[in-house]
Structures are given as structure tokens and as C-alpha cells.
Amino acid sequence: SVGLIKEGRLALAKGYGLANRETKLIPTGDTVWSMASCSKPVVGIAALKLVDQGKLDLDKDVSDYIGFPLRNPNFPDDKITMRHLLAHASSLKDASQADISSYPRPDPPQQLEKDVRTWLLPEGAEFANAAYWDASAKPGAKYAYANVGSTVAGLVVEKAAGQLFNEFCNQHLFAPM
């Protein structure tokens, strides 16, 4: 699907190809698509914008930004940095493929701090025996793609910016474009 804005108005909204190969569903300008990992570069650009503004240090412990200790319980003395999060080397992992396949569509509104606390802290309702933590590698030791790491990075952006992630991105990334 393509949307074209001209002089502040929607000039074209049209779908091409197939939205679903199995059902042969043809997309329209109103078809809702999952953005999936297309948002990860936005998180990275937002973080780098904060670096430019002097509000974020990529090598500082993210716990200092988010206001509570975030540690892999298997490596409690090793800090996690924004550089680790952005490079998928934080020792976080997605708990299971089911997390990805059962994720609600379209994206639900996120409460980043609540989600991070629920998934990653021992007192969190979905901590589930540290399912989101890699027991075999400390932060910075190995690459492991993790969607949950981007959620944490978004929270760091919020806290360093002093405003909601979407508000910061709208003001500092999208509006200037």
C-alpha cells in the first residue's frame, strides 16, 4: 500500500500486489500492515539524536536512564548499555517464537516502562524464570537478535528525552522530514 501526501492532503492511497498470498487478498489504501522490524531504525535514529543533543551516552548503564536496575540475573555485575541494545548484544532474547506469532495486530499502544518491568524484572508478572535473558552470554559478549531489546531501547529514549517515545520521534525526526 502506498500513501502520497501533497500539500498536506492525501493525494493517493492505493494497494498493489497481495496482502495475503493464501487468500489472494488484494490490498487497498486502507490495508493495515504490520511494521515489524521496520521500526528498529527509528529507535536507533532517535537514540543518536539524543547523543547529538548531549542527553544520551551510548556506553552508560541504561539503569541510570530508566530509574531502576536492569541486569541479566545470570550476570548481575555487568551493565547493559544503549550500544548493547542497539547492536542486539545486550544478553536479552525473545522468550519464544510464540511471542512473535501471537503478538497482537495492529500494534497495541505501548507502555514501555510497564512492559519492561513485567518481562525483565524478577517481580514482573511475565518474568517466567528469566525467559527473556540469555544465560550463556553476558551483555556485550554475543549478537542475538531480540525484539524485546528494542522495547528497552525505546524506554531509554523516553527517559533520556523526558517525553514519550512517539512524541520525541514526531517532534525531532518525522516533523523535520
Side-chain angles (χ1 to χ4, degrees):
S1 295
V2 174
L4 175 66
I5 307 290
K6 184 175 182 181
E7 297 175 3
R9 301 181 90 112
L10 183 64
L12 172 74
K14 187 169 174 154
Y16 299 90
L18 295 174
N20 184 316
R21 291 181 186 179
E22 293 172 8
T23 65
K24 308 283 191 235
L25 179 67
I26 296 171
T28 70
D30 294 321
T31 300
V32 176
W33 297 91
S34 172
M35 289 299 293
S37 292
C38 294
S39 62
K40 286 181 179 65
V42 175
V43 175
I45 292 167
L48 294 177
K49 184 72 171 175
L50 288 167
V51 170
D52 284 348
Q53 293 175 354
K55 296 179 180 178
L56 179 66
D57 179 338
L58 295 178
D59 298 309
K60 187 175 177 180
D61 188 335
V62 297
S63 300
D64 296 340
Y65 293 103
I66 63 177
F68 56 89
L70 186 68
R71 291 286 188 270
N72 181 326
N74 305 291
F75 304 95
D77 296 329
D78 292 280
K79 71 180 181 179
I80 297 169
T81 68
M82 191 63 149
R83 188 178 306 276
H84 293 147
L85 292 167
L86 296 175
H88 294 276
S90 64
S91 77
L92 285 165
K93 63 179 186 165
D94 292 326
S96 72
Q97 184 61 34
D99 286 350
I100 298 164
S101 61
S102 66
Y103 188 79
R105 306 284 190 241
D107 285 338
Q110 292 284 313
Q111 297 177 351
L112 298 179
E113 184 169 344
K114 178 179 174 256
D115 289 344
V116 168
R117 287 177 177 272
T118 297
W119 300 330
L120 303 180
L121 299 183
E123 63 273 15
E126 295 182 42
F127 183 73
N129 300 316
Y132 288 96
W133 293 106
D134 187 340
S136 68
K138 66 182 185 171
K142 84 174 189 184
Y143 170 86
Y145 189 87
N147 291 297
V148 68
S150 293
T151 301
V152 177
L155 175 61
V156 174
V157 167
E158 275 192 0
K159 297 296 186 167
Q163 65 187 122
L164 294 175
F165 178 80
N166 63 314
E167 292 173 2
F168 178 81
C169 290
N170 285 336
Q171 181 180 352
H172 295 278
L173 305 181
F174 301 125
M177 283 194 268

